[in-house]
């Protein structure tokens, strides 16, 4: 249920975040992984780091996430970062459970346009739900949100631009066909994120909105 000021109560916020995270884990395992679609964002950068520099993705993801989390703590507040930790932790648990116990195989390798469309819609909805709940599903989503508020650009547009750049670099080690279909999924996801985060809210102003949240109350809700 919602509070009188229209913000989400803690139980509702957690429900939205966990539901969005579950949807992300489901999509990344059952659609992206099972149909060999590649990745954008920090995951794609970490894979590129392994290919070019031989750095373990588990290490490079940490190096990418930590600075962004520190910046988010300053500009979005402690509640936002805690919500993000909940989302990231839940994603790890959900994905691991599916990887070890799910016997469901969604084989769309003969119809990759459908796989890309499903991936885009479901990941966009999942990431958008996490953002609406007051968190983010990873450091790249946080960075997209901060840039969106700083520059007054729709968050989905920033998401698309960042992922397309990473995917273009990924052509050094990934097949062209799967990369192009992943670009399609990313574009769809970006539009769905914008729709999900802006539904029922005023349009994003073109003026910067990032302001430090130090010593100010914060309920963890995304603007």
């Amino acid at each position: 249920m919602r509070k009188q000021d229209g913000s989400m109560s803690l139980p509702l916020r957690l429900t939205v975040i966990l539901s969005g995270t579950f949807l992300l884990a489901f999509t990344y395992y059952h659609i992206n992984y099972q149909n060999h679609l590649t990745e954008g964002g920090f995951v794609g950068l970490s894979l590129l780091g392994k290919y070019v520099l031989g750095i373990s993705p588990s290490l490079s993801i940490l190096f990418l996430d930590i600075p962004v989390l520190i910046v988010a703590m300053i500009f979005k507040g402690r509640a936002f970062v805690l919500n993000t930790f909940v989302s990231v932790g839940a994603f790890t648990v959900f994905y691991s459970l599916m990887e070890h116990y799910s016997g469901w195989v969604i084989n769309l390798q003969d119809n990759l346009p459908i796989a890309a469309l499903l991936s885009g819609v479901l990941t966009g909805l999942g990431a958008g739900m996490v953002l609406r709940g007051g968190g983010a599903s990873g450091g790249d989503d946080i960075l997209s949100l901060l840039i969106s508020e700083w520059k007054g650009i729709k968050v989905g547009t920033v998401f698309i631009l960042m992922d397309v750049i990473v995917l273009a670099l990924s052509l050094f080690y990934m097949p062209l066909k799967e990369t192009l279909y992943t670009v399609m999924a990313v574009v769809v996801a970006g539009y769905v994120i914008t729709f999900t985060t802006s539904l029922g809210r005023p349009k994003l102003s073109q003026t910067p909105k990032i302001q430090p949240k130090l010593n100010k109350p914060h309920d963890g809700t995304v603007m």
Side-chain angles (χ1 to χ4, degrees):
M1 57 185 295
R2 291 182 176 271
K3 300 177 182 177
Q4 290 183 351
D5 62 1
S7 62
M8 291 185 186
S9 64
L10 180 60
L12 179 57
R13 187 182 308 143
L14 288 175
T15 299
V16 171
I17 289 174
L18 292 176
S19 298
T21 303
F22 179 86
L23 193 55
L24 284 170
F26 176 89
T27 306
Y28 279 133
Y29 179 70
H30 287 97
I31 297 180
N32 287 45
Y33 173 73
Q34 291 183 353
N35 294 283
H36 303 115
L37 294 179
T38 59
E39 301 286 350
F42 283 3
V43 174
L45 279 177
S46 68
L47 293 174
L48 182 62
K50 179 175 177 58
Y51 176 78
V52 177
L53 301 173
I55 301 174
S56 169
S58 61
L59 191 60
S60 56
I61 280 284
L62 197 61
F63 285 143
L64 290 168
D65 277 346
I66 287 177
V68 177
L69 285 169
I70 293 173
V71 174
M73 178 75 79
I74 297 172
F75 289 106
K76 298 300 294 178
R78 188 188 312 169
F80 178 85
V81 175
L82 290 176
N83 289 340
T84 299
F85 275 122
V86 169
S87 173
V88 171
F91 178 87
T92 301
V93 172
F94 290 148
Y95 191 93
S96 178
L97 288 173
M98 292 176 192
E99 192 174 35
H100 288 91
Y101 300 109
S102 176
W104 192 10
V105 176
I106 302 177
N107 187 350
L108 295 170
Q109 292 186 46
D110 293 331
N111 204 340
L112 285 180
I114 297 298
L117 180 61
L118 281 174
S119 174
V121 171
L122 296 178
T123 56
L125 182 58
M129 289 173 67
V130 174
L131 289 171
R132 285 300 291 257
S137 56
D140 46 346
D141 285 3
I142 295 175
L143 190 58
S144 295
L145 181 63
L146 292 174
I147 293 173
S148 169
E149 295 184 355
W150 176 36
K151 291 296 186 179
I153 306 171
K154 293 177 180 178
V155 64
T157 302
V158 182
F159 177 90
I160 292 170
L161 291 174
M162 289 179 58
D163 276 8
V164 167
I165 291 171
V166 172
L167 288 168
L169 295 173
S170 298
L171 288 172
F172 284 109
Y173 68 95
M174 291 301 299
L176 176 62
K177 181 180 178 181
E178 284 80 357
T179 301
L180 291 177
Y181 279 119
T182 305
V183 170
M184 174 183 167
V186 163
V187 171
V188 173
Y191 283 110
V192 175
I193 287 174
T194 296
F195 175 79
T196 306
T197 55
S198 62
L199 185 65
R201 292 180 173 175
K203 290 185 178 180
L204 187 64
S205 170
Q206 294 302 311
T207 57
K209 290 188 176 183
I210 285 186
Q211 296 179 356
K213 299 294 182 180
L214 296 177
N215 301 321
K216 295 182 179 181
H218 192 281
D219 68 354
T221 304
V222 177
M223 297 180 66

